[in-house]
Amino acid sequence: MAAIAFKKLQNGSDIRGVALEGIEGQPVNLTEEAVTTIAKAFGAWLSKKTGKDAGQLKVAIGRDSRISGPALLAAAAKGLCTAGVSVTDCGLASTPAMFMTLVTDGFSFDGSIMITASHLPFNRNGMKFFVASGGLEKSDIAEILALAEAGDFLTPQTPGKMDACDFISVYAKGLVEKIRAASGSEKPLEGFHIVVDAGNGGGGFFVDKVLAPLGADASGSQFLEPDGSFPNHIPNPEDKTAMESIRGAVLANHADLGIIFDTDVDRAGAVDKNGREINRNRIIALISAILLHEHPGTAIVTDSITSSGLKTFIEEKGGIHHRFKRGYKNVINEAIRLNREGTDCQVAIETSGHGALKENYFLDDGAYLIAKILVQMARLKKEGKTIDELIADLQEPLEAKEYRMKILAEDFKEYGNRLIEALKEYAAKQPGWQVEPNNYEGIRVKFAQGDGDGWFLLRLSLHDPIIPLNIESNAQGGVKHIAGKLYPFVAQYEEIDSACLQEEVQG
């Protein structure tokens, strides 16, 4: 059997790999053997971090609806038990729920694992790890994989014990209690018609375990049954097909709100009663409006591709917009840093739908994000208002587009960073190019009204050999105008596949 390339399974602060055959050119590398060994390594790492012997450790494991989930959960449990660690099988769960196993009264776990690959295709899977202080960092994952590669594990004579727990019900009950407490009502959603689209991921529990106890009519909800082949659409609030699916359900059922989750429920999006999507900049604006009412002047940390209109929206409501790097761990860690240094920051949120609130352990939790919106809906109803009114004055761009240009160079990070540094020098010399001074990722350049009336952001992808380019404009034809300004520079770089940008400019 070929040696396992453990280090290649790292994807930032997660483990990701191909778990099933079925797609040509994608051989399985996240095998049951690999997961067993990584779980053993996590046990060893956890023992070192806590100072406890393996026999004293307890770890909870959950999974999303992926086809490979049960087998990989069993493989992880086997690895931990072999190492002497006791395991609780939480079965079908959400990523946020698996963190909550560590901080919920009545439970005493030392760590937890979620078997998930978020919105990736059916053949992929992965592992996320938690301790009570939060999700593991990139450096922690590297350390665990180094232990797995070394394979130097002690095997105690007494294996760890195994039991099971329906923790998603415990987690859902906690959400219900929070919503009731915040709204001051046993059934605050009575009279509301709310539909959920779980995309056959792990979010189907929200209907029976959260909405029903709160009094909502959830008829018309769809794709609630777990099915890791994702037969209807990818569970992803950023996916056009997925958003059109929940939009259609809202309009067909004349619902007050539509909710959509990603596969492991750490991200969410919504649709208002008029069929307007509440995702990307709009969901950031909505949670910002709610939190700025509760915490005037708070800072809102977002990823780098948020719109100029969102910045204006936050600032006009008295908040501070702190635009940072992409990556949910990046925005979360930046929000934690701001609080530590004395700046109140209540939320870290990406346009992808990853939203982490200070009041909820800075855990990116799609269900909790929706819970905040539901509480606000109940409050607004008493005033004769609806949730969409909170973001009615958000200025949205007339045009917005993303181009994902492949980097063909072998050392793609070095090549991409060299291009970006050269562009910074180039941009500084171009008339009418206004380089954003407080930018933490790539280069962001603004253009005045009459000269594109918008901006571009060129950055290096977090993990892939790609340079994404985002362009936004408030003028008809503005995206093409701005693309035309940038294309001659990018075209000089032979190791960049800029055909998509060329097509925009010349089309």
Side-chain angles (χ1 to χ4, degrees), residues 86-404:
S86 291
V87 173
T88 294
D89 177 357
C90 294
L92 189 70
S94 71
T95 292
M98 293 316 299
F99 168 76
M100 293 302 293
T101 61
L102 306 174
V103 294
T104 299
D105 290 343
F107 295 84
S108 56
F109 295 108
D110 300 286
S112 64
I113 302 173
M114 177 66 178
I115 308 294
T116 182
S118 188
H119 63 282
L120 292 182
F122 78 95
N123 66 326
R124 305 297 185 95
N125 217 325
M127 305 169 79
K128 292 185 178 183
F129 302 87
F130 296 97
V131 292
S133 58
L136 267 56
E137 299 291 339
K138 183 178 179 180
S139 57
D140 298 322
I141 301 301
E143 193 175 336
I144 289 168
L145 290 178
L147 286 169
E149 194 165 55
D152 187 14
F153 306 114
L154 293 174
T155 303
Q157 290 184 337
T158 305
K161 296 179 180 178
M162 181 94 173
D163 61 15
C165 172
D166 174 23
F167 191 81
I168 197 68
S169 293
V170 177
Y171 166 80
K173 184 181 178 183
L175 284 178
V176 169
E177 289 171 354
K178 286 179 187 294
I179 294 170
R180 283 174 173 163
S183 59
S185 171
E186 185 73 10
K187 293 195 173 184
L189 301 183
E190 206 158 38
F192 283 111
H193 189 175
I194 300 170
V195 293
V196 173
D197 184 328
N200 303 110
F205 75 91
F206 203 81
V207 170
D208 291 337
K209 297 182 185 296
V210 179
L211 293 180
L214 295 171
D217 173 7
S219 59
S221 293
Q222 58 191 19
F223 314 140
L224 306 181
E225 306 79 14
D227 184 342
S229 65
F230 309 132
N232 296 291
H233 61 73
I234 300 263
N236 181 4
E238 287 189 289
D239 182 73
K240 289 182 180 179
T241 302
M243 289 307 297
E244 190 56 39
S245 174
I246 183 59
R247 181 176 177 274
V250 168
L251 295 175
N253 290 280
H254 306 288
D256 299 295
L257 184 74
I259 299 166
I260 185 165
F261 296 114
D262 77 337
T263 318
D264 61 328
V265 202
D266 60 358
R267 295 188 296 132
V271 172
D272 71 19
K273 61 185 176 64
N274 301 309
R276 293 194 69 186
E277 297 178 3
I278 306 177
N279 63 349
R280 300 180 67 81
N281 288 287
R282 291 173 63 80
I283 200 161
I284 297 175
L286 181 55
I287 195 63
S288 296
I290 293 170
L291 291 172
L292 283 165
H293 178 74
E294 296 175 359
H295 305 274
T298 194
I300 312 291
V301 175
T302 73
D303 59 350
S304 60
I305 64 171
T306 48
S307 71
S308 300
L310 178 66
K311 182 178 181 65
T312 301
F313 178 88
I314 291 170
E315 291 176 349
E316 287 183 347
K317 294 198 178 314
I320 300 166
H321 182 208
H322 187 87
R323 191 186 287 124
F324 198 59
K325 302 174 184 176
R326 291 213 85 186
Y328 71 95
K329 286 294 288 184
N330 288 331
V331 294
I332 288 171
N333 288 342
E334 181 68 359
I336 292 170
R337 182 190 71 79
L338 289 176
N339 281 291
R340 189 170 56 239
E341 295 181 359
T343 298
D344 178 65
C345 176
Q346 291 294 323
V347 64
I349 183 165
E350 282 197 297
T351 48
S352 65
H354 277 289
L357 277 68
K358 182 180 180 181
E359 67 187 58
N360 190 42
Y361 306 94
F362 272 121
L363 172 67
D364 51 319
D365 184 343
Y368 194 92
L369 190 68
I370 294 298
K372 290 290 288 187
I373 294 171
L374 295 177
V375 169
Q376 193 65 25
M377 280 181 67
R379 289 174 179 165
L380 289 171
K381 187 177 183 180
K382 295 175 183 178
E383 303 172 18
K385 299 178 181 178
T386 54
I387 201 78
D388 53 295
E389 294 177 52
L390 289 184
I391 54 174
D393 55 347
L394 174 65
Q395 301 167 18
E396 300 194 72
L398 187 63
E399 298 179 346
K401 199 162 183 179
E402 181 176 81
Y403 310 86
R404 296 179 67 79

Side-chain angles (χ1 to χ4, degrees), residues 419-429 435 439 442-443 489:
L419 181 153
I420 289 168
E421 289 306 311
L423 180 56
K424 289 178 181 178
E425 293 182 19
Y426 177 83
K429 299 173 185 175
V435 180
N439 192 63
I443 175 172
F489 174 84

